[in-house]
Amino acid sequence: MKKAYPYIFYFSILLVVLSCKNKKLTEVVEVPLPSAVEKFTIGSADDIKADDGSFELIKLAYSFDAVSPEIEARTMQLHYSKHYLAYTNSLNKAIKNTELENLTIEEILSKAVADSINLRNNAGGYYNHSLFFECIGTKAGVLPKDTLAIAIAKDFGSFEGFKNQFKNAANRQFGSGWTWLIVDKNGRLQVTNTPNQDNPLMPKAIVSGTPILALDVWEHAYYLEYQNKRKNYIDAFFNIINWKVVEEKYEEAIKKE
Ligand code: MN
């Protein structure tokens, strides 16, 4: 029995320590409230300006909430005022005080981007987003008319044929990239993809041509609404295309060819 005393002693200490700990746990401690969730307010695209430089953000002909629920205002705002703005500022910075400063974006894309990954990503990011934001914004549900409608029927069999090809291409793009409707050098319409911020105006594009419609399939373009369901985003995109703008782009492109 004598030998058991030290154990009883240690056990008693342990009980005291545990009871203190328990006491601490039951004490009322003032816990700070979680910081308030950042409140989202819809701003205006007109308030977002690129830093001084050769290129400015395109003006939006619609508000950030104009294409909801296909694309929510929050995504539109973040996409325009963070991602697109960043590409534009970085492009301006990259060409500042160089001979590229006075070129058009198309000239920069076709000539200069082979020499610099930074320029390639940011000139591409600027051009691609400008076209993307220009080609959406309506919920009128109108389809292409006149010359573009005829060309789509000729080159894809039907509007449905075009739509399927475009949607398949966008779903198929592995990782970040873009899906395009372009006018090739023979004046034919084609659907093609490019990775990252590349586009069909860049040298070595797999299919070259003048883009007239652009779909951003980077996750930042749709993740808040659609998460991993890119297919649903692509389907929704077809509800908000401004075909009048795409038609104007088509007319310009075939004049150039
Ligand atoms: Mn984007």
Side-chain angles (χ1 to χ4, degrees), residues 79-80 83-84 87 125 128-129 132-133 177-178 197 216-221 233:
H79 204 176
Y80 183 91
H83 297 269
Y84 178 37
Y87 287 118
N128 301 353
H129 286 90
F132 172 72
F133 285 120
W178 290 77
Q197 293 296 352
D216 189 341
V217 292
W218 283 58
E219 284 182 346
H220 68 233
Y233 161 67

Side-chain angles (χ1 to χ4, degrees), residues 218-235:
W218 283 58
E219 284 182 346
H220 68 233
Y222 63 87
Y223 213 79
L224 292 179
E225 301 87 332
Y226 299 99
Q227 291 85 49
N228 59 321
K229 300 183 189 86
R230 185 195 282 183
K231 185 182 174 296
N232 295 0
Y233 161 67
I234 295 164
D235 289 344

Side-chain angles (χ1 to χ4, degrees), residues 71-99:
I71 304 175
E72 295 293 350
R74 190 169 188 199
T75 294
M76 289 298 293
Q77 179 156 312
L78 287 169
H79 204 176
Y80 183 91
S81 62
K82 303 289 179 195
H83 297 269
Y84 178 37
L85 179 68
Y87 287 118
T88 308
N89 286 337
S90 300
L91 168 63
N92 283 337
K93 202 173 154 199
I95 60 172
K96 199 177 178 175
N97 301 325
T98 74
E99 72 267 23

Side-chain angles (χ1 to χ4, degrees), residues 45-64:
D46 293 341
D47 298 335
I48 314 298
K49 303 267 184 272
D51 299 339
D52 278 346
S54 303
F55 295 99
E56 289 176 7
L57 303 175
I58 61 143
K59 295 262 168 239
L60 292 191
Y62 51 90
S63 59
F64 286 137

Side-chain angles (χ1 to χ4, degrees), residues 40-245:
F40 170 67
T41 44
I42 302 172
S44 166
D46 293 341
D47 298 335
I48 314 298
K49 303 267 184 272
D51 299 339
D52 278 346
S54 303
F55 295 99
E56 289 176 7
L57 303 175
I58 61 143
K59 295 262 168 239
L60 292 191
Y62 51 90
S63 59
F64 286 137
D65 60 356
V67 289
S68 169
E70 279 81 358
I71 304 175
E72 295 293 350
R74 190 169 188 199
T75 294
M76 289 298 293
Q77 179 156 312
L78 287 169
H79 204 176
Y80 183 91
S81 62
K82 303 289 179 195
H83 297 269
Y84 178 37
L85 179 68
Y87 287 118
T88 308
N89 286 337
S90 300
L91 168 63
N92 283 337
K93 202 173 154 199
I95 60 172
K96 199 177 178 175
N97 301 325
T98 74
E99 72 267 23
L100 304 174
E101 217 173 17
N102 298 313
L103 298 184
T104 65
I105 187 63
E106 287 83 359
E107 286 168 334
I108 292 175
L109 289 169
S110 62
K111 289 173 191 159
V113 295
D115 307 327
S116 157
I117 282 283
N118 177 51
L119 189 60
R120 179 184 183 137
N121 288 341
N122 291 303
Y126 173 74
Y127 176 90
N128 301 353
H129 286 90
S130 297
L131 183 63
F132 172 72
F133 285 120
E134 219 183 328
C135 290
I136 60 172
T138 173
K139 304 249 309 187
V142 288
L143 294 178
K145 292 189 295 188
D146 308 325
T147 49
L148 179 58
I150 294 164
I152 286 175
K154 184 171 134 297
D155 294 329
F156 298 102
S158 64
F159 183 72
E160 281 305 305
F162 154 69
K163 210 158 95 171
N164 289 337
Q165 200 174 315
F166 191 97
K167 284 182 178 183
N168 288 340
N171 277 309
R172 214 174 44 232
Q173 171 60 33
F174 180 78
S176 300
W178 290 77
T179 298
W180 307 90
L181 176 60
I182 63 161
V183 179
D184 72 13
K185 64 179 191 305
N186 302 313
R188 263 190 65 216
L189 290 171
Q190 288 205 55
V191 166
T192 184
N193 283 353
T194 54
N196 306 317
Q197 293 296 352
D198 287 2
N199 67 47
L201 292 172
M202 291 181 179
K204 296 183 184 165
I206 293 169
V207 184
S208 298
T210 307
I212 62 171
L213 175 67
L215 173 58
D216 189 341
V217 292
W218 283 58
E219 284 182 346
H220 68 233
Y222 63 87
Y223 213 79
L224 292 179
E225 301 87 332
Y226 299 99
Q227 291 85 49
N228 59 321
K229 300 183 189 86
R230 185 195 282 183
K231 185 182 174 296
N232 295 0
Y233 161 67
I234 295 164
D235 289 344
F237 173 69
F238 272 84
N239 297 339
I240 57 167
I241 297 171
N242 187 339
W243 283 106
K244 200 168 166 289
V245 171

